[in-house]
Amino acid sequence: MSMIVNRRDVDFYLDEMFDLSTLLKADRYREHDRESITAILDLCQSMAEEEFLPCAAELDENEPLFTDGKAITPQVLKDCLKKFVEAGLPTATFDQDLGGMQLPVMVANFMQGIFQAANAPAVGYVFLTSSTAHMLQACGSETLRQRYLPPLIEGRWFGTMCLSEPHAGSSLSDIRCMAEPVGDGSYKLTGTKMWISGGEQDISENIVHMVLARTPDAPPGVKGISLFLVPKIRVEEDGSPGEPNNIALAGLNHKMGQRGTTNTLLNFGEGGDCLGYLVGAENEGLKNMFHMMNEARIGVGMLATMSGLAGYLYSLDYARNRPQGRHPGDKDPNSDMLPIIEHADIRRLLMEQKVAVEGSLALLTYCSQLVDQQLTSEDSQTSQRLTLLLELLTPIAKSWPSEYTLEANKHAIQILGGYGYTREYPVERLYRDNRLNPIHEGSHGIHGLDLLGRKVNLAGGATLAIFEEKMQPALDAASGNETLAEMGESLSDIWQLAKRTIETVNQEPDPVTRLASATPFLDAFGHLVIAWLWLRQALIAHEALQSGAQADTDFYEGKVAACHFFYRYHLPQTAEKLRYVGSQDRSVLDAQASWFTGA
Amino acid sequence: MSMIVNRRDVDFYLDEMFDLSTLLKADRYREHDRESITAILDLCQSMAEEEFLPCAAELDENEPLFTDGKAITPQVLKDCLKKFVEAGLPTATFDQDLGGMQLPVMVANFMQGIFQAANAPAVGYVFLTSSTAHMLQACGSETLRQRYLPPLIEGRWFGTMCLSEPHAGSSLSDIRCMAEPVGDGSYKLTGTKMWISGGEQDISENIVHMVLARTPDAPPGVKGISLFLVPKIRVEEDGSPGEPNNIALAGLNHKMGQRGTTNTLLNFGEGGDCLGYLVGAENEGLKNMFHMMNEARIGVGMLATMSGLAGYLYSLDYARNRPQGRHPGDKDPNSDMLPIIEHADIRRLLMEQKVAVEGSLALLTYCSQLVDQQLTSEDSQTSQRLTLLLELLTPIAKSWPSEYTLEANKHAIQILGGYGYTREYPVERLYRDNRLNPIHEGSHGIHGLDLLGRKVNLAGGATLAIFEEKMQPALDAASGNETLAEMGESLSDIWQLAKRTIETVNQEPDPVTRLASATPFLDAFGHLVIAWLWLRQALIAHEALQSGAQADTDFYEGKVAACHFFYRYHLPQTAEKLRYVGSQDRSVLDAQASWFTGA
């Protein structure tokens, strides 16, 4: 049993749930077939298991060091990433004419995920680089693309995104980093950026920073933010390395987890000119950065999910093999101890992990499928609808897995008991790693405001209508199904409740009051989406069981049982959360700063 | 503002909620008055803030080392504990005729808590020692008491409890450690103990282990377990140190948190005879150990709560001082940024911490009050009722704070954002420390079985009847109160639901099925108890507000608001959890080991 991926489950999403075969008929993906995709997933799995997984604990215990203004990373990290680059894996999603593999995003998502499950901090560098390159491809000038894209796609140079500053994390409208035009089309960057993952390292030949900054006469707020490409080492016209570009590493942050990825405080323009190049138009920086951020947000959802999956698989294996205790009622101390998976509470802890992890996997694969459909659609109306649906789902795809697979990792520790609390076992590390995910790429609070304040009402509410349409086939299928009809009705009920809740909230004129419970709404709406995706999984599994798929009976029974558990245990609580949002309770909003401790 | 304790809130529990003044009239506590108690809490607070808090991060970063078979702890830990011992603080709860301060348990609980909030791993050694001494006092022979109690009470020697073995954590009936009688009343101990906190260290002059082991002809299972006192260094009749007692330190566990407390693997009788002395009668070891465990369980609840409180206070202070962003709807980027406490989601994260932490504090102070009432009761029937009530509440007092103040620490990290995820700030350490609490002293799973399988039906259900009686005055008071009547009704409803749930569960003859949802029941019943205690807090606060207690208006408003939030947001979800338990859903129980991944 692999400790990082359940390939049977991957096949379920690709083949049974999200219809890879149809996607492979599209012109864009005609170079690939199911066998070649299996082969590349095999390659990823073996490299992840043989190279990345064995050094994950070592990388955690030996975090990068800040020495003489440099970030020194462990050799084992450099070795792993060298193999990853040499195998050509950074090129997965790029177009063939750029030297890429041009793989379906749905497949690339699992390739990425397999490495994230094995050693998330190690591969953080390369997946950030992919996002950087995608943004450059979409928004950069031809000159910038020609000079910077090839080494990024090949993985010789790494990329970063530089948004936050020490005084402005969530509040991008307050960033102060400045970019003054030099006159030759380039800009001089000055200012400090904080929380920059991979902002300095000794792994790649160069680093390409994507930096948000203001030009001298820019309007205040988000409307005055521009995006700049700023290399660590300047690049000559022929692509060869030039002078250092005066980006000083002011310090490394020492994190609870994700320790293998450097996290940096950078001073741009310290000790000399720091040159940057505009990406897209002036003052359109935030819009362009969102190209990267939307991808990164789904990437964070996947990162969380794979930490959850690794903990699930490890604790499942442990539960099957660790003997301890007997059933309640068995008073014979001479009877054999049971493997702990036989205890109801251990099963519950496993089932909680299963519903969180496989619910998240379904959601993230679904989002990938939507991106693939966008990339292969030739019909602008379809494409627009896909964009709207992705807009609606992105805050959920980022936040729900971040919250509930962290919870899953907590359960994995619980199954291992004292062992799980020690660094000799991987589950506590996964839990520490995963705690980052509700924070970066927009905290829960930010995504709640985005969902309830914007996304559910986008295009006059078209987002909700499109989602409803997508949900309908599962509701129809369930209604004729003896086993699943009750769940279909529950989903239908909670969907009506969600819509009524949104209507109620929309009627409130004061924006502060209207959005006061945006985070509980994000949480509840996430459960609703996951409930739909679990029903879809159960419908497929139920049909397979009916048609007598003997070989996979256990697999399908597990899907149906997990769906039942989610609907019976979690969904009723979700309904109460929605009712709370709809009640527009003010007990939190009205609590003054001085009320918390009375002083 | 203190980062470890809100003294106004402590006074609220002692004076307004749990009636310390009446307790101080009891003969046992007549040496103390309210002023002397304030003075000793002042002393604890200043020592905790000046000595223990400043080195908490250092102790976390420099965990004890395993060198040449010894555990080497940092000097700063030794220095702190030396001051604690020199101030006479280990004697807090012991009788005056043993040289103790004979303080009310309710007060001692806060003394302990203040140090736990500052630096839990540092004081773990001394509070474990208190428990050891209490058990020895209750169960040990006069010879053992005379020889071992004074140095334990004075804090010159430290104590441990040795239950678990590598193959048997939760399942004590399977322990293998052996004790063979020597013939002179002593026993030779052999075997291995695992997860022993403070099992080896270089701080105290000696270590007194309380060890569960079997005698040669003992019956199998828990009925054949005896309790032994086993010193690290043998003690001569005059109390002077003798030869080493052949307890080998086989290794230290490397924990996620609580790093300052050594956690050890010990081999008894390695390299020579290891002598132990029976505490209580043969084969009554488990019963005697429970003297220590019940105290330790409430201690773990307090430990969790104070990690929660420290995170709450730190994040509250941060939220009041960190400017970031503006209200939704405020489109002017030139307006000042708000302190983040003005954002609804930050208030929610603070309110969640408040309801968890102050709910837990109320519960643990209540349990302490019950112990004090036992210690001062001269009426055996009253005493028996108090014992039954404590039996019912102990699994909750241990588990609910462990779960929900861990959640509170998660919220504290969220408020600090990226900063919260770094080791430069204390909140991630508190979260790591707190993750231990749902595991040790009985995992949630064990306490769930204890509560639903035993405690709710104890003495023919007298436990529930006593609890109901205790709850009634709050229900009565709420019913006549315009602001709180709705909450009283909610509590009454959920109590009826809980009773019906227990009745339904009791009707199931098969014990495995009956207890399948014991952990969700523990969770839900815990919420019910906390809801009752929040209503009591709100009633007191409401009355104070009505009577015009101007100076503390903010404090009392906060209590009422927190109660509202708990009832409106959490309690309806709790009802759904109870309905789930009552439904006797089998989707988890029936899930076979092979269903989880399908292989």
Side-chain angles (χ1 to χ4, degrees):
Chain A
M1 178 177 158
S2 166
M3 291 293 114
I4 56 171
V5 63
N6 176 6
R7 290 289 294 278
R8 176 65 191 87
D9 202 38
V10 173
D11 291 345
F12 177 79
Y13 304 117
L14 294 180
D15 301 323
E16 296 169 82
M17 195 161 175
F18 296 114
D19 203 12
L20 176 63
S21 65
T22 299
L23 200 61
L24 290 178
K25 288 174 193 144
D27 204 42
R28 180 175 172 80
Y29 301 132
R30 66 167 187 274
E31 296 282 318
H32 302 286
D33 58 28
R34 193 60 179 86
E35 287 68 38
S36 67
I37 283 167
T38 300
I40 198 153
L41 289 172
D42 287 347
L43 168 71
C44 290
Q45 184 177 343
S46 62
M47 186 183 289
E49 286 175 346
E50 287 159 26
E51 309 292 342
F52 283 78
L53 184 60
C55 67
E58 182 185 343
L59 202 55
D60 179 66
E61 290 280 339
N62 300 288
E63 66 187 337
L65 298 173
F66 178 55
T67 309
D68 300 333
K70 289 183 179 144
I72 312 297
T73 67
Q75 186 58 40
V76 66
L77 173 63
K78 298 182 189 92
D79 294 344
C80 273
L81 288 175
K82 189 163 177 238
K83 281 171 187 153
F84 185 92
V85 168
E86 282 173 357
L89 291 171
T91 72
T93 51
F94 291 93
D95 293 355
Q96 270 156 1
D97 57 16
L98 291 168
M101 292 194 234
Q102 202 166 310
L103 277 160
V105 175
M106 206 195 286
V107 173
N109 197 43
F110 280 112
M111 293 168 62
Q112 171 177 338
I114 287 169
F115 286 98
Q116 286 172 327
N119 194 334
V123 289
Y125 299 94
V126 285
F127 294 123
L128 254 169
T129 301
S130 272
S131 300
T132 307
H134 284 146
M135 182 168 55
L136 183 60
Q137 190 187 351
C139 314
S141 67
E142 196 172 329
T143 312
L144 286 180
R145 282 187 277 134
Q146 279 184 351
R147 197 170 298 175
Y148 292 93
L149 259 186
L152 286 170
I153 292 174
E154 289 161 27
R156 287 190 291 117
W157 299 355
F158 289 169
T160 80
M161 51 202 293
C162 302
L163 288 79
S164 299
E165 299 179 4
H167 70 290
S170 295
S171 181
L172 287 176
S173 71
D174 295 292
I175 65 165
R176 295 175 191 153
C177 208
M178 288 297 300
E180 286 198 61
V182 174
D184 62 354
S186 66
Y187 292 75
K188 282 188 201 171
L189 275 281
T190 49
T192 299
K193 291 288 178 181
M194 180 80 168
W195 309 121
I196 311 309
S197 289
E200 181 51 48
Q201 34 82 2
D202 55 354
I203 307 164
S204 63
E205 297 165 19
N206 201 353
I207 303 176
V208 178
H209 302 286
M210 290 290 184
V211 182
L212 291 185
R214 295 185 181 286
T215 48
D217 301 313
V222 292
K223 289 176 185 162
I225 299 177
S226 303
L227 176 63
F228 297 89
L229 182 155
V230 187
K232 171 184 170 181
I233 296 163
R234 291 180 197 159
V235 180
E236 303 295 333
E237 274 183 38
D238 64 355
S240 63
E243 293 294 305
N245 197 22
N246 300 305
I247 304 169
L249 176 66
L252 293 176
N253 292 307
H254 300 97
K255 292 171 290 178
M256 171 161 61
Q258 301 282 1
R259 294 190 180 191
T261 310
T262 57
N263 187 276
T264 60
L265 180 67
L266 297 177
N267 288 333
F268 290 81
E270 187 174 296
D273 289 347
C274 173
L275 298 179
Y277 310 93
L278 193 62
V279 178
E282 263 192 26
N283 300 332
E284 293 190 359
L286 203 59
K287 193 188 81 182
N288 292 327
M289 187 59 105
F290 264 100
H291 273 280
M292 187 166 176
M293 277 158 69
N294 277 334
E295 178 178 330
R297 283 169 173 183
I298 293 174
V300 167
M302 195 66 184
L303 172 60
T305 303
M306 298 312 284
S307 287
L309 177 61
Y312 172 49
L313 294 174
Y314 196 91
S315 62
L316 175 62
D317 187 62
Y318 184 89
R320 284 171 170 169
N321 293 300
R322 165 82 173 172
Q324 186 88 172
R326 292 161 194 84
H327 277 313
D330 180 352
K331 303 285 185 205
D332 178 6
N334 288 322
S335 62
D336 287 342
M337 290 201 280
L338 297 168
I340 62 172
I341 198 169
E342 296 302 320
H343 298 305
D345 190 52
I346 299 294
R347 282 203 188 159
R348 189 185 57 82
L349 292 167
L350 288 167
M351 192 59 97
E352 288 281 22
Q353 293 182 72
K354 184 179 173 75
V355 295
V357 169
E358 296 180 8
S360 296
L361 278 173
L363 174 58
L364 293 158
T365 315
Y366 182 55
C367 289
S368 305
Q369 186 194 36
L370 297 179
V371 175
D372 278 321
Q373 287 173 349
Q374 279 182 317
L375 289 169
T376 54
S377 162
E378 284 158 17
D379 162 8
S380 73
Q381 206 198 332
T382 306
S383 186
Q384 204 181 354
R385 282 166 54 87
L386 291 166
T387 301
L388 284 170
L389 188 54
L390 265 173
E391 288 276 351
L392 179 71
L393 294 177
T394 298
I396 297 158
K398 192 272 171 184
S399 305
W400 200 91
S402 295
E403 183 70 21
Y404 290 97
T405 68
L406 174 66
E407 195 74 5
N409 283 149
K410 188 180 82 180
H411 298 321
I413 293 175
Q414 196 69 12
I415 290 174
L416 270 74
Y419 294 99
Y421 193 65
T422 66
R423 308 200 298 281
E424 279 78 13
Y425 291 78
V427 287
E428 68 84 32
R429 170 170 47 78
L430 294 166
Y431 181 62
R432 283 188 287 111
D433 284 353
N434 214 348
R435 182 62 189 86
L436 176 61
N437 293 312
I439 299 170
H440 64 163
E441 295 299 334
S443 66
H444 282 349
I446 296 293
H447 286 289
L449 294 175
D450 182 42
L451 182 66
L452 188 59
R454 218 168 69 83
K455 297 295 180 65
V456 295
N457 297 315
L458 217 58
T463 43
L464 287 187
I466 296 167
F467 179 71
E468 187 168 42
E469 241 176 74
K470 296 284 178 190
M471 196 166 52
Q472 198 56 47
L475 293 175
D476 293 342
S479 74
N481 181 311
E482 204 180 330
T483 313
L484 304 174
E486 194 188 322
M487 292 191 274
E489 282 164 32
S490 301
L491 180 60
S492 179
D493 289 348
I494 203 163
W495 172 242
Q496 297 306 323
L497 176 60
K499 283 199 297 184
R500 284 199 306 276
T501 304
I502 294 165
E503 275 168 34
T504 307
V505 168
N506 280 343
Q507 280 159 21
E508 167 59 47
D510 171 43
V512 175
T513 308
R514 187 164 67 237
L515 297 172
S517 294
T519 313
F521 179 80
L522 172 72
D523 182 17
F525 200 82
H527 271 78
L528 188 160
V529 172
I530 296 291
W532 165 54
L533 292 167
W534 264 116
L535 184 60
R536 284 182 63 181
Q537 297 193 56
L539 282 162
I540 295 165
H542 186 262
E543 195 176 315
L545 286 168
Q546 294 294 98
S547 67
Q550 298 279 336
D552 280 332
T553 301
D554 286 346
F555 177 80
Y556 292 124
E557 292 281 10
K559 290 288 187 191
V560 174
C563 183
H564 272 121
F565 174 68
F566 193 77
Y567 274 75
R568 289 171 185 167
Y569 186 67
H570 288 288
L571 212 55
Q573 295 174 52
T574 303
E576 294 302 339
K577 286 181 191 170
L578 283 172
R579 285 192 193 100
Y580 176 81
V581 175
S583 78
Q584 299 188 283
D585 173 49
R586 297 189 60 95
S587 51
V588 172
L589 193 59
D590 289 343
Q592 301 303 302
S594 54
W595 289 11
F596 287 96
T597 50
Chain B
M1 178 178 159
S2 166
M3 291 294 114
I4 57 172
V5 64
N6 177 6
R7 289 290 293 279
R8 176 64 190 88
D9 201 39
V10 172
D11 291 345
F12 177 79
Y13 304 117
L14 293 181
D15 302 323
E16 296 171 79
M17 194 163 176
F18 297 114
D19 201 13
L20 176 62
S21 64
T22 299
L23 200 61
L24 290 178
K25 290 175 192 144
D27 205 43
R28 179 174 173 82
Y29 300 133
R30 65 165 188 275
E31 298 282 319
H32 303 286
D33 58 28
R34 193 59 180 87
E35 288 67 36
S36 66
I37 283 167
T38 299
I40 197 153
L41 288 173
D42 288 347
L43 168 72
C44 289
Q45 185 178 343
S46 62
M47 186 183 289
E49 285 175 348
E50 287 159 25
E51 309 291 341
F52 283 78
L53 184 61
C55 66
E58 182 185 343
L59 202 55
D60 179 67
E61 290 279 340
N62 300 290
E63 66 188 336
L65 298 173
F66 177 55
T67 309
D68 300 333
K70 290 182 178 144
I72 312 297
T73 67
Q75 186 59 40
V76 67
L77 173 64
K78 298 183 190 91
D79 295 343
C80 274
L81 288 174
K82 190 164 175 238
K83 282 170 188 153
F84 185 92
V85 168
E86 282 173 357
L89 292 172
T91 73
T93 52
F94 291 93
D95 293 354
Q96 272 157 0
D97 58 17
L98 290 168
M101 292 195 234
Q102 203 166 307
L103 277 160
V105 175
M106 207 196 286
V107 174
N109 197 43
F110 279 112
M111 293 169 61
Q112 171 177 335
I114 287 169
F115 286 98
Q116 287 171 328
N119 195 335
V123 289
Y125 298 95
V126 286
F127 295 123
L128 218 62
T129 300
S130 272
S131 300
T132 307
H134 284 147
M135 182 168 57
L136 183 60
Q137 188 185 353
C139 313
S141 67
E142 197 173 327
T143 313
L144 286 180
R145 282 188 278 134
Q146 281 184 349
R147 197 169 299 175
Y148 292 93
L149 260 185
L152 286 171
I153 291 174
E154 290 160 25
R156 288 191 289 115
W157 301 356
F158 289 170
T160 80
M161 52 202 293
C162 303
L163 288 79
S164 299
E165 301 180 3
H167 70 292
S170 295
S171 181
L172 287 176
S173 71
D174 295 293
I175 64 165
R176 295 175 191 152
C177 208
M178 288 300 300
E180 285 198 63
V182 173
D184 62 353
S186 66
Y187 292 74
K188 283 188 200 169
L189 275 281
T190 49
T192 300
K193 290 290 180 183
M194 180 78 169
W195 309 121
I196 310 309
S197 289
E200 180 52 46
Q201 33 81 0
D202 54 354
I203 308 164
S204 65
E205 298 165 19
N206 201 353
I207 303 175
V208 178
H209 302 285
M210 290 290 184
V211 183
L212 292 185
R214 296 185 180 285
T215 48
D217 301 316
V222 291
K223 290 176 183 162
I225 298 177
S226 303
L227 177 62
F228 297 89
L229 183 157
V230 186
K232 171 184 170 180
I233 296 162
R234 291 181 197 157
V235 181
E236 303 296 332
E237 274 182 38
D238 63 356
S240 64
E243 293 295 305
N245 198 22
N246 300 305
I247 304 170
L249 176 65
L252 293 176
N253 293 306
H254 300 97
K255 292 172 289 179
M256 171 163 58
Q258 300 282 359
R259 293 188 182 193
T261 310
T262 57
N263 188 277
T264 61
L265 180 67
L266 299 177
N267 288 331
F268 290 82
E270 186 174 296
D273 289 348
C274 173
L275 298 179
Y277 311 93
L278 194 63
V279 177
E282 262 191 28
N283 300 333
E284 292 189 0
L286 204 57
K287 194 188 79 182
N288 293 327
M289 187 57 104
F290 264 99
H291 274 278
M292 185 165 180
M293 277 157 67
N294 278 334
E295 179 178 330
R297 283 168 175 184
I298 291 172
V300 167
M302 195 65 184
L303 171 61
T305 302
M306 298 311 285
S307 287
L309 177 61
Y312 172 49
L313 295 174
Y314 196 93
S315 62
L316 175 62
D317 187 63
Y318 184 89
R320 284 171 170 170
N321 293 300
R322 166 81 173 172
Q324 186 87 173
R326 291 159 194 86
H327 278 314
D330 180 352
K331 304 286 185 203
D332 177 7
N334 288 323
S335 62
D336 285 343
M337 290 201 279
L338 297 168
I340 62 172
I341 199 169
E342 296 301 321
H343 298 303
D345 190 51
I346 300 293
R347 285 207 185 155
R348 188 185 59 82
L349 293 167
L350 289 168
M351 191 58 98
E352 288 281 20
Q353 293 181 73
K354 183 178 174 75
V355 294
V357 169
E358 296 180 8
S360 296
L361 279 173
L363 174 59
L364 292 159
T365 315
Y366 182 55
C367 289
S368 305
Q369 185 194 35
L370 297 179
V371 175
D372 278 322
Q373 288 174 348
Q374 278 183 317
L375 289 168
T376 55
S377 163
E378 284 159 16
D379 163 7
S380 74
Q381 207 196 331
T382 305
S383 186
Q384 205 181 353
R385 282 165 54 87
L386 291 165
T387 301
L388 284 170
L389 188 53
L390 265 173
E391 289 274 353
L392 179 71
L393 294 177
T394 298
I396 296 158
K398 191 273 169 183
S399 305
W400 200 91
S402 296
E403 183 69 22
Y404 290 97
T405 69
L406 174 65
E407 195 74 6
N409 284 148
K410 189 181 82 181
H411 298 321
I413 293 175
Q414 196 70 12
I415 289 174
L416 271 75
Y419 294 98
Y421 193 66
T422 67
R423 308 201 298 282
E424 279 77 13
Y425 291 77
V427 287
E428 68 84 30
R429 169 169 49 78
L430 294 165
Y431 181 62
R432 284 188 288 110
D433 284 354
N434 213 348
R435 182 62 190 87
L436 176 61
N437 294 312
I439 298 171
H440 64 163
E441 294 299 333
S443 66
H444 282 349
I446 296 292
H447 287 289
L449 294 175
D450 183 41
L451 182 66
L452 188 59
R454 216 168 72 81
K455 297 295 179 62
V456 296
N457 296 315
L458 218 58
T463 43
L464 287 188
I466 296 167
F467 178 72
E468 187 168 42
E469 244 176 71
K470 296 283 178 191
M471 197 166 50
Q472 198 58 46
L475 293 175
D476 294 342
S479 75
N481 182 310
E482 204 180 328
T483 313
L484 303 174
E486 193 188 323
M487 292 191 273
E489 281 164 33
S490 301
L491 180 59
S492 179
D493 288 347
I494 204 165
W495 172 243
Q496 297 306 325
L497 176 60
K499 284 200 296 184
R500 286 199 304 277
T501 304
I502 294 165
E503 275 169 34
T504 308
V505 168
N506 280 343
Q507 280 161 22
E508 167 60 47
D510 171 44
V512 174
T513 306
R514 186 163 69 239
L515 298 171
S517 293
T519 313
F521 178 80
L522 172 72
D523 181 17
F525 200 83
H527 270 79
L528 188 160
V529 172
I530 296 292
W532 165 55
L533 292 166
W534 265 116
L535 184 59
R536 285 182 62 182
Q537 297 193 59
L539 282 162
I540 296 165
H542 186 261
E543 197 177 312
L545 286 168
Q546 294 296 99
S547 66
Q550 299 277 337
D552 280 333
T553 300
D554 285 345
F555 177 80
Y556 292 124
E557 290 282 12
K559 290 288 188 192
V560 175
C563 183
H564 273 122
F565 174 69
F566 193 76
Y567 273 76
R568 289 172 184 167
Y569 186 67
H570 288 288
L571 211 57
Q573 295 173 51
T574 304
E576 295 301 340
K577 286 181 190 170
L578 283 172
R579 285 192 193 100
Y580 176 81
V581 175
S583 77
Q584 300 190 284
D585 173 48
R586 296 189 61 95
S587 52
V588 172
L589 194 59
D590 288 344
Q592 301 304 301
S594 54
W595 290 11
F596 286 95
T597 50

